[in-house]
Structure formats: structure tokens, C-alpha cells
Amino acid sequence: MKLQNIQRAVREHLYFAVSYEQDLFYIGKIKKFEGEDILMKFLEKSAGHIISSTTAKMAENLEMHELPNTASEESLISQQHFGPIDVCVVVTVISAVLYYLFFRKKKEINTFQITPNHVTTSDSSFINKMKSTGRNVIVFYGSQTGTAEEFATRLAKEANRYGMKAMVADPEDYDMEDLCKVPEIENSLVIFCMATYGEGDPTDNAQEFYQWLQTGDGDLSGLNFAVFGLGNKTYEHYNSMAIYVDKRVEELGGARVFELGLGDDDANIEEDFITWKERFWSAVCEHFHIETLGEDINLRQYELKVHEDLPEGKIFTGEISRLNSYKNQRPPYDLKNPFLSTVTVNRELYTGPRSCMHIELDIADSRIRYDTGDHVAIYPTNDSGLVEKLGKLLNADLDTVFSLNNLDEDSTKKHPFPCPTTYRTALLHYVDITSIPRTHVLKEISEYATNEEEKKMLKSMATSSEEGKKLYLSWVVKNCRSIIHILEDLPSLKPPIDHLLELLPRLQARYYSISSSPKMHQTSIHITAVLVEYETPTKRITRGVATGWLKTLKPGDKVPIFVRRSQFRLPSKPHIPIIMIGPGTGLAPFRGFLQERSFQKKEGKEVGDSILYFGCRKSKEDFLYEDELKVFEEEGTLTKLHAAFSRDQPEKLYVTHLLNANKDELWRVFGESHGHIYVCGDARNMAKDVHVIILEIVQEYGKKTKDEAEAYIKKMESQRRYSADVWS
């Protein structure tokens, strides 16, 4: 009986360690083990993965279709003996622990790449790769949406013009301490293309590099470097990551070859980049005493291979990374391994001419856990009508099975997207066909225009001249021309479809604030999304990629998703009062907040005041979740609702007007009662206006100077008492 109890305890503890802690473990993310505790946790969780698999097999043998819950598992285990499988599992775990404790050398801790199924080691030295392949330039990128990676690729490609050989590198894949060895390579140069993410944070793939810069004391003397940053001025911490990298690398001894470049995505980041890189290459030529090799020749990065008789099981059909991953789903689910959820509800929330969707996604049996305030990422599909139109414009057979293979055999990136696949699949799932194309795309496809005027115009827009930049801004950007529109308006332009697929950016996941609480909806995730639809100056109707696709979905349809953790959290103590400011779909996370507080209230917990400021155009057309909010008010969960309907009266009324009218209430909650303030919605205007009002309240009611009030708000932010979930 004791063995059975031990068996049950080990199964339950280790299985749930993997299941509940997947956001901390995130197989595939762990790179290094720098201490006994971390490796021991890895061994425990690996054992848990094995044991949970064993449990599943036992259940399968008993004709069960799910992993057992606690009660049924206890009943099942009480009928089992400590069998051969269990012995093997325990022996494996004990052997691993003994090896770790007694036989390994203390400092021989390898770098691991962890996937759901296996562990492999990899060469983490970019220096070795640079030396063995004769490269003297390396371009690192910190990218969240793919733009920084795209810019890095363009810089590496242009290095050929100057007789330099470059490689593009993800800092997450390499040991960044090797930066100290770069000066060993003659005429070497390191370029950093760094995006800033969230509240001034590094992107996910630059986290370890950022930590090394903060804590490391490496000697970067003799390291030639330059930095280009990607940011957005609507956010407070504009380009803070690039600014920090530029400053810190210099502090460690690096030699700046050219000044820091700052790109603003709220304006025209493409223009910022091409202006910076033209001057940057001039500085490189001067620094290294080199000259351009002549005319800028377009070089293909990938070569086309058409497959004639490839089995269907070998062809990607939209999977993000692993072939057939949508048919054989395996947790944990993340950026490279999304879960194929099922739509259970898709209903309209607006009654007017505009559209807002309430969508519920089933996550039962996925092991996905989420917290109130988290984000869900959705991989959208391009409009099939647009894909067919693009195929006709390019005279392409969309059912052709092909691969694009990197001509650089030493590159870690073998394909621009999962290959082999069909042209149709690539256009539907892998490339962005509706965004405004960047200038390098226009430059490369210009060679395929048979009309000289069209060719001249495309080439002009790709230059850094004032005339070219103005033409690009007016003809492409302001007119919202996608690659489809450009091909329609320039009939002589017929680039090969494979070259165009090489140039177009990857289709990125879209993030939405989750509008539900797991306390009430443990097996589903809710999102609230307004359909993006507008007419361009060229009289074309354009729809948002994600919302346009979501609008077409019906119950039973599949959606690839994963959850991204957020710091947008309710107070840990329910009695603390909160103020929620969320006009429009900014209400989404607060619906989850109210669901959670309602649940806590029904459990008998003391719940503090919950005050909501909401705004929309008309109360009869777009008052989101009106009935639900009334229920929350009636039960006492929602203490007070302040609603502003901007077009229900002659003079516009916004949430900011209501905030100004209730300054004393706001101060009572966050100033006197130490409550929390949450802001969700538009970053460009609303969030900034709210910040100004909060600053005024602290000055007026807190009797502080402007500097003291700003310091007070900074402290609130550091304590997570003033949080924003905003977008531009």
C-alpha cells in the first residue's frame, strides 16, 4: 500500500508540475542551466513528462480517452501494482539525479535546446561560424514582430556591395560573451537591430543578451559596432532597448562606427531606416577605408526548387514550425507550436453599421492555463479571394509544390517559411500580402517591369533621395497600397511568384487582451475584436487581416493560438479597490477582471470597490456587454459605472471628461486607499490624456510639485499600482 501511495503522489506531483508550470518551463526556451536547483527542476519536470505519458498509456489500455482526474486516478492506481514501466521510470530519474550529483564535472554544464520530445546540444559560438565561413560582419536582431529581423537581413545583404561578408544572428541562439572575441577577426563589425517591446523591455529573443549586458563585465575593446533601434513614440519608453545597447556596448569598450539610429513606427520607420543606413554605409567605408564595389545588384537569397511527386504527408499546410503539428498536437503551446483551438461562439456585439465580435475559443484538454489580464495570440489566414487575385496577377499555378532553399549553406535559416509547401499555402498562411511593402521590395521587383516609366518610378521610391522618399510616402504609404494594389496599378510588373514570396514579410500573430477569467471560464478563452475595415484614397475597401478572417469564422472552425503572459494583473488581495479605464474594446480585460471579482465575492471574500470608466460612440449601438455590466452592478461587484457616449449629444463626451469631473473620487481610491489604476486602449491619445489627468490629481490632491507628482506615479508603476495595456 505504501508503494501505491508513493506511486500516486509522484504521478500527481510531477504530472501537475509539467501541466501547471508550463509557462515557467516552456520547453524550447530554456538555454542554459547555471546551478543545481535549475537542473534538478528540469529532471523533475522531465520525469513528470515521462510519468504523465505513462499514465496516459495506462488509461488508453483501460479504454479511457482522457488523463484521469484526481478522484478517478486514485481509484485506478489503487488497482495497479508497481509494474515494470514504473520501475523503469523511477530508475531513469534516480540514475539521472545520481549522475548529476556524483559524476558530472562541476563546470561542464552544456547548452541545451529543449523541445517537447527530445534534448539536443548545439554550437553556440558565432565566432567559430564567422571564422570558418570567412565572415567579418554579424548583424544581431531583437525582434518581436519580424521587422527588426527584416532590417538585419537587408543590412547583411547590402554588406556584399562593400566587399564584406555578413551573417544574420538571433542573440537567443548564441553565447553573447563571444562578442569579446570579435576583434580577433580583421576588419570586423557588429550591427545591432534592436526593437523595444512593452514598457521599454527587450524583445523575447533578446532577454538573455540584455541580462548579460546588465550583469556582464566583458571587455569589448576593439569591437566595432553600430545600433539601429525600432520603437514607437506613442509609448513612454521610446527605443529604450536600442539606447541602452548603444550606451552599454560603448561602456564595455566598444568603438561606435556610426551614431545610433532611431526608427519610429508611429511615423515612417522605413524612411528612418533607409536614411540611417545610407549614412551608416558611408561611415563604414570611411572607417575601414573601403569603397563600394559598384552598382547595387540584387542578389537572391533563396533558390527555387519545384517538387513533382512529394507525398502529402511531407508538405506543410500552414503549420508554423513542426510538420503535421496540427494533426498531432503536443503541448506545451507557444509561438512556434500553437494550439489548434475550436471556435464555440462568434456573435456580433454591435447593433449599428460597424462590427465587433465576441469570440469564444475552446482550450479543453490543451493544458493551456491563462490568468485574467493575459493576451491570446492568434495566427490569422489571409483572405482567399486576395490570394486567388494575386495568383492571377502573377500568372502562377497556386497548387505548385515548392521549396525556397537558402543559397548560404552555413545559414541557420534554411527557408524563409516552412517548406516544402504550395504557393497557395504560402500566400494564405506564411507571408503578409496586405501590408504596405517596404522600399527594398519595390527595388528588387522593379527589374521585372517591362514598362520603363513604371520601372523608373519603382526604383526612385527605393532611393534615399528626397524626391524618392516623397513619392514613396504619397503613392504607397498615404494611399495604403499593398503589393496586390501595386501589381494592379502597374500592369507591366510581373515578378516571379517565388521571388516575391522571398521578399514579403512573414505573416505575424495578432495579440488580443483576453476578455474572460479562468475562474469562470477555465476551458475557454474569450476575445473582443472590432472589425477593421476602411476605404483607401484609391477607393479600395481594405479589411484587417486578423479581424477580417475572424469575422468569417463559425462554430467548429479552427484557430491556431497560444497564450502570452502579461503583467496586467488584479491586486493579489481582493479587498484592494481598483479603477478601470477602458473605452471601446479597452473594456475587454476588465470584463475578465469583473468576472474574477464576482467569483471571489460569491466565495465569500471581501472584495474592494471596482469602478469602471467606459466610453463608446452611441449607447444604442456599441455599448459593449451592457447587460453583463448591469448584472455586475446589481450584485455589487461593479461599484460604479461611468459611461461616456460621445455621439449621443451635440457636444462630444469622452472618458477623459468624466475623469476630470471625478478627480476627488479617483484620489480617494488610489491616493488615500492605495488602490490600483488600470488603463486599456489607445496609446496615442487616450492613454496619454489619462496620464496627464492622473498627474494633475496627484499634484492637486496630494499637494505635490510636478516633479514630485511624476515621481509618485513612477513609484505607482513600479509597484504595479498603475498599469497600462495599450496599443497604437
Side-chain angles (χ1 to χ4, degrees), residues 581-613:
I581 304 167
T585 54
L587 175 63
F590 302 138
R591 178 176 182 260
F593 279 19
L594 291 169
Q595 286 180 0
E596 184 142 331
R597 289 209 144 185
S598 175
F599 181 86
Q600 291 168 337
K601 192 177 183 67
K602 289 171 184 175
E603 280 190 319
K605 295 179 180 178
E606 181 190 351
V607 176
D609 286 351
S610 302
I611 300 171
L612 173 64
Y613 285 81

PDB file of all heavy atoms in Angstrom, residues 581-613:
ATOM      1  N   ILE A 581     -10.102  51.931 -16.589  1.00  0.00           N
ATOM      2  CA  ILE A 581     -10.382  52.936 -17.618  1.00  0.00           C
ATOM      3  C   ILE A 581     -10.205  52.258 -18.980  1.00  0.00           C
ATOM      4  O   ILE A 581      -9.082  51.957 -19.394  1.00  0.00           O
ATOM      5  CB  ILE A 581      -9.438  54.139 -17.487  1.00  0.00           C
ATOM      6  CG1 ILE A 581      -9.541  54.738 -16.072  1.00  0.00           C
ATOM      7  CG2 ILE A 581      -9.755  55.190 -18.551  1.00  0.00           C
ATOM      8  CD1 ILE A 581      -8.435  55.720 -15.733  1.00  0.00           C
ATOM      9  N   GLY A 582     -11.330  51.995 -19.657  1.00  0.00           N
ATOM     10  CA  GLY A 582     -11.252  51.241 -20.901  1.00  0.00           C
ATOM     11  C   GLY A 582     -12.338  51.594 -21.899  1.00  0.00           C
ATOM     12  O   GLY A 582     -13.360  50.917 -21.973  1.00  0.00           O
ATOM     13  N   PRO A 583     -12.140  52.635 -22.702  1.00  0.00           N
ATOM     14  CA  PRO A 583     -13.111  52.943 -23.756  1.00  0.00           C
ATOM     15  C   PRO A 583     -13.057  51.901 -24.880  1.00  0.00           C
ATOM     16  O   PRO A 583     -12.008  51.308 -25.128  1.00  0.00           O
ATOM     17  CB  PRO A 583     -12.670  54.315 -24.271  1.00  0.00           C
ATOM     18  CG  PRO A 583     -11.401  54.654 -23.588  1.00  0.00           C
ATOM     19  CD  PRO A 583     -11.032  53.561 -22.658  1.00  0.00           C
ATOM     20  N   GLY A 584     -14.178  51.697 -25.560  1.00  0.00           N
ATOM     21  CA  GLY A 584     -14.216  50.765 -26.683  1.00  0.00           C
ATOM     22  C   GLY A 584     -13.835  49.357 -26.268  1.00  0.00           C
ATOM     23  O   GLY A 584     -14.210  48.874 -25.203  1.00  0.00           O
ATOM     24  N   THR A 585     -13.042  48.689 -27.118  1.00  0.00           N
ATOM     25  CA  THR A 585     -12.605  47.331 -26.788  1.00  0.00           C
ATOM     26  C   THR A 585     -11.555  47.314 -25.695  1.00  0.00           C
ATOM     27  O   THR A 585     -11.102  46.250 -25.286  1.00  0.00           O
ATOM     28  CB  THR A 585     -12.062  46.609 -28.036  1.00  0.00           C
ATOM     29  OG1 THR A 585     -11.040  47.412 -28.637  1.00  0.00           O
ATOM     30  CG2 THR A 585     -13.166  46.350 -29.049  1.00  0.00           C
ATOM     31  N   GLY A 586     -11.185  48.492 -25.192  1.00  0.00           N
ATOM     32  CA  GLY A 586     -10.353  48.555 -23.996  1.00  0.00           C
ATOM     33  C   GLY A 586     -11.071  47.966 -22.793  1.00  0.00           C
ATOM     34  O   GLY A 586     -10.462  47.687 -21.759  1.00  0.00           O
ATOM     35  N   LEU A 587     -12.374  47.732 -22.939  1.00  0.00           N
ATOM     36  CA  LEU A 587     -13.157  47.093 -21.881  1.00  0.00           C
ATOM     37  C   LEU A 587     -12.789  45.615 -21.724  1.00  0.00           C
ATOM     38  O   LEU A 587     -13.031  45.029 -20.662  1.00  0.00           O
ATOM     39  CB  LEU A 587     -14.653  47.230 -22.209  1.00  0.00           C
ATOM     40  CG  LEU A 587     -15.647  46.520 -21.298  1.00  0.00           C
ATOM     41  CD1 LEU A 587     -15.586  47.083 -19.876  1.00  0.00           C
ATOM     42  CD2 LEU A 587     -17.066  46.644 -21.852  1.00  0.00           C
ATOM     43  N   ALA A 588     -12.215  45.009 -22.777  1.00  0.00           N
ATOM     44  CA  ALA A 588     -12.012  43.553 -22.825  1.00  0.00           C
ATOM     45  C   ALA A 588     -11.401  42.951 -21.558  1.00  0.00           C
ATOM     46  O   ALA A 588     -12.005  42.072 -20.931  1.00  0.00           O
ATOM     47  CB  ALA A 588     -11.191  43.190 -24.053  1.00  0.00           C
ATOM     48  N   PRO A 589     -10.203  43.379 -21.129  1.00  0.00           N
ATOM     49  CA  PRO A 589      -9.638  42.736 -19.941  1.00  0.00           C
ATOM     50  C   PRO A 589     -10.439  43.010 -18.677  1.00  0.00           C
ATOM     51  O   PRO A 589     -10.426  42.196 -17.739  1.00  0.00           O
ATOM     52  CB  PRO A 589      -8.231  43.340 -19.849  1.00  0.00           C
ATOM     53  CG  PRO A 589      -8.326  44.650 -20.542  1.00  0.00           C
ATOM     54  CD  PRO A 589      -9.315  44.435 -21.652  1.00  0.00           C
ATOM     55  N   PHE A 590     -11.172  44.123 -18.656  1.00  0.00           N
ATOM     56  CA  PHE A 590     -11.934  44.472 -17.456  1.00  0.00           C
ATOM     57  C   PHE A 590     -13.187  43.594 -17.311  1.00  0.00           C
ATOM     58  O   PHE A 590     -13.688  43.406 -16.211  1.00  0.00           O
ATOM     59  CB  PHE A 590     -12.293  45.952 -17.467  1.00  0.00           C
ATOM     60  CG  PHE A 590     -11.076  46.843 -17.557  1.00  0.00           C
ATOM     61  CD1 PHE A 590     -11.057  47.955 -18.377  1.00  0.00           C
ATOM     62  CD2 PHE A 590      -9.932  46.533 -16.829  1.00  0.00           C
ATOM     63  CE1 PHE A 590      -9.932  48.765 -18.458  1.00  0.00           C
ATOM     64  CE2 PHE A 590      -8.795  47.333 -16.903  1.00  0.00           C
ATOM     65  CZ  PHE A 590      -8.792  48.446 -17.718  1.00  0.00           C
ATOM     66  N   ARG A 591     -13.676  43.072 -18.416  1.00  0.00           N
ATOM     67  CA  ARG A 591     -14.732  42.056 -18.328  1.00  0.00           C
ATOM     68  C   ARG A 591     -14.194  40.859 -17.558  1.00  0.00           C
ATOM     69  O   ARG A 591     -14.885  40.301 -16.694  1.00  0.00           O
ATOM     70  CB  ARG A 591     -15.180  41.649 -19.732  1.00  0.00           C
ATOM     71  CG  ARG A 591     -16.247  40.557 -19.750  1.00  0.00           C
ATOM     72  CD  ARG A 591     -16.704  40.282 -21.177  1.00  0.00           C
ATOM     73  NE  ARG A 591     -17.748  39.277 -21.243  1.00  0.00           N
ATOM     74  CZ  ARG A 591     -17.554  37.991 -21.556  1.00  0.00           C
ATOM     75  NH1 ARG A 591     -16.321  37.558 -21.818  1.00  0.00           N
ATOM     76  NH2 ARG A 591     -18.559  37.142 -21.614  1.00  0.00           N
ATOM     77  N   GLY A 592     -12.952  40.471 -17.853  1.00  0.00           N
ATOM     78  CA  GLY A 592     -12.324  39.381 -17.108  1.00  0.00           C
ATOM     79  C   GLY A 592     -12.100  39.738 -15.652  1.00  0.00           C
ATOM     80  O   GLY A 592     -12.316  38.909 -14.750  1.00  0.00           O
ATOM     81  N   PHE A 593     -11.680  40.983 -15.399  1.00  0.00           N
ATOM     82  CA  PHE A 593     -11.477  41.438 -14.018  1.00  0.00           C
ATOM     83  C   PHE A 593     -12.776  41.322 -13.210  1.00  0.00           C
ATOM     84  O   PHE A 593     -12.786  40.832 -12.082  1.00  0.00           O
ATOM     85  CB  PHE A 593     -11.022  42.901 -14.008  1.00  0.00           C
ATOM     86  CG  PHE A 593      -9.547  43.101 -14.287  1.00  0.00           C
ATOM     87  CD1 PHE A 593      -8.794  42.117 -14.907  1.00  0.00           C
ATOM     88  CD2 PHE A 593      -8.915  44.279 -13.931  1.00  0.00           C
ATOM     89  CE1 PHE A 593      -7.440  42.307 -15.161  1.00  0.00           C
ATOM     90  CE2 PHE A 593      -7.564  44.483 -14.182  1.00  0.00           C
ATOM     91  CZ  PHE A 593      -6.827  43.491 -14.802  1.00  0.00           C
ATOM     92  N   LEU A 594     -13.870  41.784 -13.815  1.00  0.00           N
ATOM     93  CA  LEU A 594     -15.149  41.774 -13.113  1.00  0.00           C
ATOM     94  C   LEU A 594     -15.657  40.345 -12.902  1.00  0.00           C
ATOM     95  O   LEU A 594     -16.264  40.034 -11.873  1.00  0.00           O
ATOM     96  CB  LEU A 594     -16.180  42.606 -13.877  1.00  0.00           C
ATOM     97  CG  LEU A 594     -15.915  44.118 -13.875  1.00  0.00           C
ATOM     98  CD1 LEU A 594     -16.820  44.844 -14.866  1.00  0.00           C
ATOM     99  CD2 LEU A 594     -16.092  44.697 -12.467  1.00  0.00           C
ATOM    100  N   GLN A 595     -15.423  39.477 -13.875  1.00  0.00           N
ATOM    101  CA  GLN A 595     -15.787  38.072 -13.694  1.00  0.00           C
ATOM    102  C   GLN A 595     -15.037  37.475 -12.509  1.00  0.00           C
ATOM    103  O   GLN A 595     -15.613  36.746 -11.695  1.00  0.00           O
ATOM    104  CB  GLN A 595     -15.470  37.277 -14.965  1.00  0.00           C
ATOM    105  CG  GLN A 595     -16.428  37.522 -16.115  1.00  0.00           C
ATOM    106  CD  GLN A 595     -16.071  36.713 -17.347  1.00  0.00           C
ATOM    107  OE1 GLN A 595     -15.096  35.957 -17.354  1.00  0.00           O
ATOM    108  NE2 GLN A 595     -16.864  36.861 -18.398  1.00  0.00           N
ATOM    109  N   GLU A 596     -13.758  37.786 -12.412  1.00  0.00           N
ATOM    110  CA  GLU A 596     -12.952  37.239 -11.324  1.00  0.00           C
ATOM    111  C   GLU A 596     -13.401  37.782  -9.971  1.00  0.00           C
ATOM    112  O   GLU A 596     -13.517  37.042  -8.992  1.00  0.00           O
ATOM    113  CB  GLU A 596     -11.473  37.537 -11.555  1.00  0.00           C
ATOM    114  CG  GLU A 596     -10.580  36.915 -10.517  1.00  0.00           C
ATOM    115  CD  GLU A 596      -9.282  36.383 -11.116  1.00  0.00           C
ATOM    116  OE1 GLU A 596      -9.269  35.990 -12.293  1.00  0.00           O
ATOM    117  OE2 GLU A 596      -8.292  36.358 -10.384  1.00  0.00           O
ATOM    118  N   ARG A 597     -13.683  39.076  -9.905  1.00  0.00           N
ATOM    119  CA  ARG A 597     -14.123  39.661  -8.635  1.00  0.00           C
ATOM    120  C   ARG A 597     -15.530  39.168  -8.248  1.00  0.00           C
ATOM    121  O   ARG A 597     -15.841  39.016  -7.071  1.00  0.00           O
ATOM    122  CB  ARG A 597     -14.069  41.183  -8.708  1.00  0.00           C
ATOM    123  CG  ARG A 597     -12.638  41.707  -8.727  1.00  0.00           C
ATOM    124  CD  ARG A 597     -12.509  43.082  -8.124  1.00  0.00           C
ATOM    125  NE  ARG A 597     -11.242  43.204  -7.406  1.00  0.00           N
ATOM    126  CZ  ARG A 597     -10.875  44.244  -6.688  1.00  0.00           C
ATOM    127  NH1 ARG A 597     -11.707  45.268  -6.556  1.00  0.00           N
ATOM    128  NH2 ARG A 597      -9.723  44.279  -6.061  1.00  0.00           N
ATOM    129  N   SER A 598     -16.346  38.904  -9.244  1.00  0.00           N
ATOM    130  CA  SER A 598     -17.664  38.339  -8.973  1.00  0.00           C
ATOM    131  C   SER A 598     -17.523  36.942  -8.370  1.00  0.00           C
ATOM    132  O   SER A 598     -18.221  36.585  -7.410  1.00  0.00           O
ATOM    133  CB  SER A 598     -18.487  38.271 -10.267  1.00  0.00           C
ATOM    134  OG  SER A 598     -19.714  37.619 -10.060  1.00  0.00           O
ATOM    135  N   PHE A 599     -16.603  36.172  -8.922  1.00  0.00           N
ATOM    136  CA  PHE A 599     -16.337  34.820  -8.409  1.00  0.00           C
ATOM    137  C   PHE A 599     -15.829  34.888  -6.967  1.00  0.00           C
ATOM    138  O   PHE A 599     -16.264  34.128  -6.099  1.00  0.00           O
ATOM    139  CB  PHE A 599     -15.308  34.136  -9.309  1.00  0.00           C
ATOM    140  CG  PHE A 599     -14.955  32.736  -8.899  1.00  0.00           C
ATOM    141  CD1 PHE A 599     -15.715  31.652  -9.312  1.00  0.00           C
ATOM    142  CD2 PHE A 599     -13.837  32.496  -8.100  1.00  0.00           C
ATOM    143  CE1 PHE A 599     -15.381  30.361  -8.933  1.00  0.00           C
ATOM    144  CE2 PHE A 599     -13.499  31.210  -7.711  1.00  0.00           C
ATOM    145  CZ  PHE A 599     -14.283  30.140  -8.134  1.00  0.00           C
ATOM    146  N   GLN A 600     -14.907  35.824  -6.720  1.00  0.00           N
ATOM    147  CA  GLN A 600     -14.352  35.964  -5.369  1.00  0.00           C
ATOM    148  C   GLN A 600     -15.444  36.388  -4.378  1.00  0.00           C
ATOM    149  O   GLN A 600     -15.481  35.912  -3.234  1.00  0.00           O
ATOM    150  CB  GLN A 600     -13.221  36.995  -5.381  1.00  0.00           C
ATOM    151  CG  GLN A 600     -11.980  36.532  -6.135  1.00  0.00           C
ATOM    152  CD  GLN A 600     -10.993  37.656  -6.394  1.00  0.00           C
ATOM    153  OE1 GLN A 600     -11.354  38.834  -6.403  1.00  0.00           O
ATOM    154  NE2 GLN A 600      -9.729  37.300  -6.613  1.00  0.00           N
ATOM    155  N   LYS A 601     -16.329  37.268  -4.841  1.00  0.00           N
ATOM    156  CA  LYS A 601     -17.410  37.748  -3.972  1.00  0.00           C
ATOM    157  C   LYS A 601     -18.348  36.597  -3.597  1.00  0.00           C
ATOM    158  O   LYS A 601     -18.775  36.463  -2.446  1.00  0.00           O
ATOM    159  CB  LYS A 601     -18.175  38.858  -4.699  1.00  0.00           C
ATOM    160  CG  LYS A 601     -19.128  39.655  -3.824  1.00  0.00           C
ATOM    161  CD  LYS A 601     -19.765  40.774  -4.632  1.00  0.00           C
ATOM    162  CE  LYS A 601     -20.660  41.644  -3.772  1.00  0.00           C
ATOM    163  NZ  LYS A 601     -19.909  42.416  -2.770  1.00  0.00           N
ATOM    164  N   LYS A 602     -18.639  35.754  -4.574  1.00  0.00           N
ATOM    165  CA  LYS A 602     -19.530  34.612  -4.312  1.00  0.00           C
ATOM    166  C   LYS A 602     -18.870  33.567  -3.417  1.00  0.00           C
ATOM    167  O   LYS A 602     -19.556  32.774  -2.785  1.00  0.00           O
ATOM    168  CB  LYS A 602     -19.959  33.985  -5.644  1.00  0.00           C
ATOM    169  CG  LYS A 602     -20.929  34.858  -6.422  1.00  0.00           C
ATOM    170  CD  LYS A 602     -21.180  34.352  -7.824  1.00  0.00           C
ATOM    171  CE  LYS A 602     -22.087  35.313  -8.605  1.00  0.00           C
ATOM    172  NZ  LYS A 602     -22.249  34.899 -10.012  1.00  0.00           N
ATOM    173  N   GLU A 603     -17.533  33.578  -3.392  1.00  0.00           N
ATOM    174  CA  GLU A 603     -16.814  32.681  -2.485  1.00  0.00           C
ATOM    175  C   GLU A 603     -16.809  33.211  -1.053  1.00  0.00           C
ATOM    176  O   GLU A 603     -16.321  32.542  -0.146  1.00  0.00           O
ATOM    177  CB  GLU A 603     -15.364  32.510  -2.949  1.00  0.00           C
ATOM    178  CG  GLU A 603     -15.177  31.535  -4.091  1.00  0.00           C
ATOM    179  CD  GLU A 603     -13.705  31.228  -4.324  1.00  0.00           C
ATOM    180  OE1 GLU A 603     -12.900  32.180  -4.254  1.00  0.00           O
ATOM    181  OE2 GLU A 603     -13.346  30.067  -4.565  1.00  0.00           O
ATOM    182  N   GLY A 604     -17.336  34.408  -0.866  1.00  0.00           N
ATOM    183  CA  GLY A 604     -17.385  34.988   0.465  1.00  0.00           C
ATOM    184  C   GLY A 604     -16.205  35.857   0.816  1.00  0.00           C
ATOM    185  O   GLY A 604     -16.064  36.297   1.972  1.00  0.00           O
ATOM    186  N   LYS A 605     -15.342  36.164  -0.173  1.00  0.00           N
ATOM    187  CA  LYS A 605     -14.187  37.009   0.095  1.00  0.00           C
ATOM    188  C   LYS A 605     -14.598  38.486   0.107  1.00  0.00           C
ATOM    189  O   LYS A 605     -15.558  38.883  -0.553  1.00  0.00           O
ATOM    190  CB  LYS A 605     -13.106  36.787  -0.961  1.00  0.00           C
ATOM    191  CG  LYS A 605     -12.506  35.397  -0.934  1.00  0.00           C
ATOM    192  CD  LYS A 605     -11.452  35.226  -2.017  1.00  0.00           C
ATOM    193  CE  LYS A 605     -10.852  33.825  -1.990  1.00  0.00           C
ATOM    194  NZ  LYS A 605      -9.854  33.611  -3.064  1.00  0.00           N
ATOM    195  N   GLU A 606     -13.834  39.266   0.860  1.00  0.00           N
ATOM    196  CA  GLU A 606     -14.055  40.712   0.880  1.00  0.00           C
ATOM    197  C   GLU A 606     -13.476  41.306  -0.396  1.00  0.00           C
ATOM    198  O   GLU A 606     -12.281  41.184  -0.668  1.00  0.00           O
ATOM    199  CB  GLU A 606     -13.384  41.339   2.102  1.00  0.00           C
ATOM    200  CG  GLU A 606     -13.590  42.844   2.187  1.00  0.00           C
ATOM    201  CD  GLU A 606     -12.743  43.499   3.258  1.00  0.00           C
ATOM    202  OE1 GLU A 606     -12.117  42.755   4.059  1.00  0.00           O
ATOM    203  OE2 GLU A 606     -12.681  44.738   3.296  1.00  0.00           O
ATOM    204  N   VAL A 607     -14.325  41.930  -1.184  1.00  0.00           N
ATOM    205  CA  VAL A 607     -13.904  42.491  -2.466  1.00  0.00           C
ATOM    206  C   VAL A 607     -14.017  44.009  -2.405  1.00  0.00           C
ATOM    207  O   VAL A 607     -15.065  44.549  -2.020  1.00  0.00           O
ATOM    208  CB  VAL A 607     -14.757  41.933  -3.624  1.00  0.00           C
ATOM    209  CG1 VAL A 607     -14.359  42.605  -4.938  1.00  0.00           C
ATOM    210  CG2 VAL A 607     -14.586  40.422  -3.732  1.00  0.00           C
ATOM    211  N   GLY A 608     -12.943  44.692  -2.789  1.00  0.00           N
ATOM    212  CA  GLY A 608     -12.920  46.153  -2.751  1.00  0.00           C
ATOM    213  C   GLY A 608     -13.742  46.781  -3.858  1.00  0.00           C
ATOM    214  O   GLY A 608     -14.267  46.094  -4.755  1.00  0.00           O
ATOM    215  N   ASP A 609     -13.826  48.103  -3.823  1.00  0.00           N
ATOM    216  CA  ASP A 609     -14.566  48.831  -4.854  1.00  0.00           C
ATOM    217  C   ASP A 609     -13.964  48.572  -6.231  1.00  0.00           C
ATOM    218  O   ASP A 609     -12.730  48.535  -6.393  1.00  0.00           O
ATOM    219  CB  ASP A 609     -14.527  50.335  -4.575  1.00  0.00           C
ATOM    220  CG  ASP A 609     -15.440  50.720  -3.406  1.00  0.00           C
ATOM    221  OD1 ASP A 609     -16.205  49.848  -2.954  1.00  0.00           O
ATOM    222  OD2 ASP A 609     -15.363  51.879  -2.960  1.00  0.00           O
ATOM    223  N   SER A 610     -14.837  48.424  -7.219  1.00  0.00           N
ATOM    224  CA  SER A 610     -14.410  48.273  -8.611  1.00  0.00           C
ATOM    225  C   SER A 610     -15.145  49.319  -9.431  1.00  0.00           C
ATOM    226  O   SER A 610     -16.359  49.225  -9.624  1.00  0.00           O
ATOM    227  CB  SER A 610     -14.735  46.865  -9.129  1.00  0.00           C
ATOM    228  OG  SER A 610     -14.113  45.867  -8.346  1.00  0.00           O
ATOM    229  N   ILE A 611     -14.417  50.341  -9.860  1.00  0.00           N
ATOM    230  CA  ILE A 611     -15.021  51.475 -10.568  1.00  0.00           C
ATOM    231  C   ILE A 611     -14.568  51.431 -12.024  1.00  0.00           C
ATOM    232  O   ILE A 611     -13.370  51.333 -12.319  1.00  0.00           O
ATOM    233  CB  ILE A 611     -14.609  52.798  -9.913  1.00  0.00           C
ATOM    234  CG1 ILE A 611     -15.072  52.818  -8.445  1.00  0.00           C
ATOM    235  CG2 ILE A 611     -15.178  53.989 -10.679  1.00  0.00           C
ATOM    236  CD1 ILE A 611     -14.525  53.977  -7.647  1.00  0.00           C
ATOM    237  N   LEU A 612     -15.523  51.485 -12.950  1.00  0.00           N
ATOM    238  CA  LEU A 612     -15.220  51.373 -14.377  1.00  0.00           C
ATOM    239  C   LEU A 612     -15.565  52.655 -15.120  1.00  0.00           C
ATOM    240  O   LEU A 612     -16.665  53.202 -14.967  1.00  0.00           O
ATOM    241  CB  LEU A 612     -16.012  50.211 -14.985  1.00  0.00           C
ATOM    242  CG  LEU A 612     -15.948  50.063 -16.513  1.00  0.00           C
ATOM    243  CD1 LEU A 612     -14.523  49.740 -16.977  1.00  0.00           C
ATOM    244  CD2 LEU A 612     -16.916  48.974 -16.990  1.00  0.00           C
ATOM    245  N   TYR A 613     -14.616  53.126 -15.940  1.00  0.00           N
ATOM    246  CA  TYR A 613     -14.861  54.236 -16.860  1.00  0.00           C
ATOM    247  C   TYR A 613     -14.854  53.653 -18.279  1.00  0.00           C
ATOM    248  O   TYR A 613     -13.821  53.150 -18.753  1.00  0.00           O
ATOM    249  CB  TYR A 613     -13.772  55.306 -16.734  1.00  0.00           C
ATOM    250  CG  TYR A 613     -13.904  56.154 -15.497  1.00  0.00           C
ATOM    251  CD1 TYR A 613     -13.435  55.706 -14.264  1.00  0.00           C
ATOM    252  CD2 TYR A 613     -14.517  57.406 -15.545  1.00  0.00           C
ATOM    253  CE1 TYR A 613     -13.565  56.477 -13.120  1.00  0.00           C
ATOM    254  CE2 TYR A 613     -14.658  58.193 -14.402  1.00  0.00           C
ATOM    255  CZ  TYR A 613     -14.179  57.719 -13.193  1.00  0.00           C
ATOM    256  OH  TYR A 613     -14.318  58.482 -12.061  1.00  0.00           O
TER     257      TYR A 613
END
